[in-house]
Amino acid sequence: MKRVGQMLLVTCLILVMLAGCGSGNSGSGKSSSPGSSSGGDSKKQQSLVIWTLQQADTNIQEAQENAAKSFEEKYNAKVQITAFPYDQLKSKLLPAVAGGEGPDILLLDQVWVAQYAAAKYIVPLDDYMGKSEIKAEDYFDGAWGAGSFQNNIYAIPFDVGVWGVLYYNKDMFKAAGLDPEKPPLTWEEFLQDGQKLTKDGKYGASNWAGSSESVQCLIDAFTVAGGGKLLDESGKKIMINEDPGVKALQFWADMSKISPPGSVGKNEEDAMTLFTSGQTAMTMYGEWGQDTIKTRAPNMNYGVANLPKPAGGESIGTFGGFNLAINANSSNKDLAWEFIKYSTNEENQKTITMLTPANKKAAKEYLNQKRQFPDVIYQQLTTATYRPNVANYPAIADLQLQATQKVMTGEMSAKDALQEAATKINDLLNK
């Protein structure tokens, strides 16, 4: 299963119901307004076609199907469910919506929200929220922020993952003379401990560049942890080339000293494989990595800690996950809104998500039941940031990745690489 787009590759094909049914398939063909009636009082049965991500966990799949049945009964609606792999959902959704069709409710990877909002494929939800019990404070701040674009809310958080947390092998710590109950808190401690753990053909950690976005999620997190920003308030100027961003990228590059050769060509899955096979003592990965360890190295004596932080800074992660939005072409906008409320409330979130619920109360209970070190994970989620809300984010992330690769290979300094990237990114932002 994949998670959070390409960034969260291990278990990201999960969760959530994505309502589908283009304007040609739903209701009367007339778009309803936020104030109109479309709930259980309607005598005419309405329909929502649900596109859902494929499930590896049959319990989650069954819970989603049961939730759909309950929704049908409450709102006199017919719900049809079709499941897609993540890549198929991504490739099918945009052309469908751009063509005036597609699902009533869009399940959007957080980094898709700005693109759909800028193109007016989804509707602002501010008016709906003003008449509902949904409140921003019930959700993780970073997940809520990821659903905004140009001062409007376009998507409600459904589930979340965070890049990342720190996994460390307690037995390897002990063998290196380190306290297995005291993982590194700062960048400096991380590199120092890593040097002690790098011996006898094994390594302290493994960084990577690869081709996915996960490395940029971590470097973005380190930038914010050092007091930096990714974008200015106007959204037209990138700020990764300022001092906090330079230091964040340099820290990542410095990890090469405690990593196996060829790190630049590796990806996050390679790094996790090195960790579960006992070749490295530490790795940074999403909280769902516990499932991987349980499968590959069930006897590993490991710990989980918050990401290391710069001196004087804060431990920050970067959010991934999915948000729910309403198709601008939907004929059943009010019913779609009812579905969004239904699938993001505290009780339903505990059963129909496979990433961590975005609702904070549901997340607390979910983590206590499903994860080891739940308090560590909850803390990382509470302070996590989100990636830039700009329509051409994929192109920006690619330029950031190129800068990372140039620094890791020694082609350029962190300062020069980020300055080069910032110049190109600002051109994109101001087109």
Side-chain angles (χ1 to χ4, degrees):
M1 300 293 285
K2 294 186 179 180
R3 289 190 178 212
V4 189
Q6 293 300 315
M7 175 184 72
L8 313 178
L9 296 173
V10 178
T11 51
C12 179
L13 299 179
I14 49 166
L15 48 146
V16 77
M17 290 175 271
L18 170 59
C21 150
S23 55
N25 300 324
S26 57
S28 64
K30 297 180 180 179
S31 295
S32 57
S33 64
S36 64
S37 174
S38 61
D41 294 335
S42 174
K43 293 182 180 179
K44 182 177 180 180
Q45 188 179 58
Q46 300 177 85
S47 64
L48 292 174
V49 177
I50 309 299
W51 290 1
T52 182
L53 289 170
Q54 286 183 347
Q55 302 302 310
D57 188 327
T58 57
N59 291 328
I60 296 294
Q61 181 178 326
E62 183 178 355
Q64 291 184 356
E65 292 170 351
N66 290 338
K69 291 176 183 177
S70 297
F71 185 84
E72 287 180 329
E73 295 172 359
K74 183 174 182 180
Y75 290 96
N76 187 29
K78 179 63 177 177
V79 177
Q80 300 176 23
I81 301 178
T82 304
F84 297 96
Y86 175 86
D87 287 340
Q88 285 189 26
L89 177 62
K90 182 180 180 181
S91 65
K92 289 176 179 290
L93 187 58
L94 185 59
V97 174
E101 298 184 357
D104 293 294
I105 297 175
L106 282 64
L107 175 65
L108 298 178
D109 191 320
Q110 289 179 356
V111 294
W112 303 347
V113 173
Q115 179 183 14
Y116 281 72
K120 302 188 185 303
Y121 294 153
I122 54 180
V123 300
L125 301 179
D126 305 78
D127 288 344
Y128 284 105
M129 283 187 52
K131 300 173 184 178
S132 80
E133 67 278 9
I134 288 184
K135 298 178 290 185
E137 54 265 32
D138 291 337
Y139 302 85
F140 291 108
D141 288 346
W144 188 265
S148 65
F149 180 71
Q150 295 183 348
N151 300 317
N152 288 111
I153 295 297
Y154 281 89
I156 304 300
F158 181 78
D159 67 357
V160 293
V162 64
W163 274 99
V165 289
L166 175 65
Y167 295 86
Y168 67 101
N169 186 314
K170 291 186 175 184
D171 291 338
M172 293 179 74
F173 264 58
K174 187 174 181 179
L178 297 169
D179 188 337
E181 303 306 321
K182 291 184 178 180
L185 299 178
T186 67
W187 295 352
E188 183 180 11
E189 290 175 358
F190 179 87
L191 294 173
Q192 288 175 348
D193 288 354
Q195 290 283 6
K196 296 176 182 178
L197 291 157
T198 301
K199 58 182 181 178
D200 301 327
K202 298 187 177 181
Y203 296 85
S206 180
N207 58 357
W208 67 88
S211 60
S212 77
E213 194 190 345
S214 59
V215 63
Q216 292 313 136
C217 290
L218 286 168
I219 295 173
D220 283 354
F222 295 143
T223 299
V224 177
K229 293 183 178 180
L230 306 178
L231 283 175
D232 71 354
E233 295 300 324
S234 72
K236 296 295 184 180
K237 181 182 178 182
I238 198 75
M239 300 178 73
I240 59 172
N241 57 319
E242 297 189 354
D243 190 58
V246 173
K247 289 180 178 177
L249 179 51
Q250 188 59 57
F251 165 65
W252 187 258
D254 287 344
M255 284 175 59
S256 297
K257 300 172 185 177
I258 59 171
S259 299
S263 290
V264 69
K266 293 182 172 63
N267 60 33
E268 68 278 12
E269 300 307 326
D270 295 324
M272 176 55 90
T273 297
L274 287 166
F275 179 73
T276 55
S277 64
Q279 297 303 301
T280 59
M282 298 182 287
T283 196
M284 299 178 194
Y285 199 83
E287 78 275 12
W288 58 93
Q290 292 187 28
D291 296 332
T292 304
I293 296 172
K294 185 177 180 180
T295 299
R296 296 182 187 170
N299 297 319
M300 178 183 284
N301 179 23
Y302 74 95
V304 175
N306 290 131
L307 291 176
K309 59 188 178 182
E314 183 179 13
S315 178
I316 298 288
T318 294
F319 267 116
F322 291 91
N323 287 30
L324 298 173
I326 298 176
N327 190 338
N329 293 303
S330 172
S331 299
N332 288 323
K333 290 186 177 68
D334 287 352
L335 186 63
W337 174 248
E338 293 300 328
F339 186 85
I340 288 177
K341 291 196 300 181
Y342 181 78
S343 57
T344 59
N345 68 37
E346 179 183 348
E347 288 306 311
N348 281 328
Q349 286 244 302
K350 289 184 289 190
T351 60
I352 66 175
T353 64
M354 194 165 173
L355 284 171
T356 303
N359 180 288
K360 290 190 289 189
K361 290 183 179 178
K364 194 77 172 177
E365 186 171 336
Y366 173 93
L367 292 171
N368 285 335
Q369 292 178 349
K370 303 274 189 178
R371 299 294 183 213
Q372 298 183 62
F373 314 99
D375 292 341
V376 171
I377 298 170
Y378 190 85
Q379 174 63 27
Q380 200 79 81
L381 288 165
T382 300
T383 61
T385 187
Y386 53 94
R387 290 158 285 173
N389 285 344
V390 292
N392 49 2
Y393 173 76
I396 290 172
D398 186 60
L399 288 169
Q400 287 183 271
L401 177 60
Q402 292 176 34
T404 300
Q405 292 170 334
K406 290 176 181 179
V407 177
M408 288 181 66
T409 57
E411 180 180 342
M412 297 182 74
S413 69
K415 183 176 181 180
D416 290 343
L418 288 176
Q419 183 57 55
E420 179 185 72
T423 299
K424 295 177 181 178
I425 290 171
N426 286 332
D427 288 343
L428 289 176
L429 292 174
N430 288 279
K431 280 187 176 180

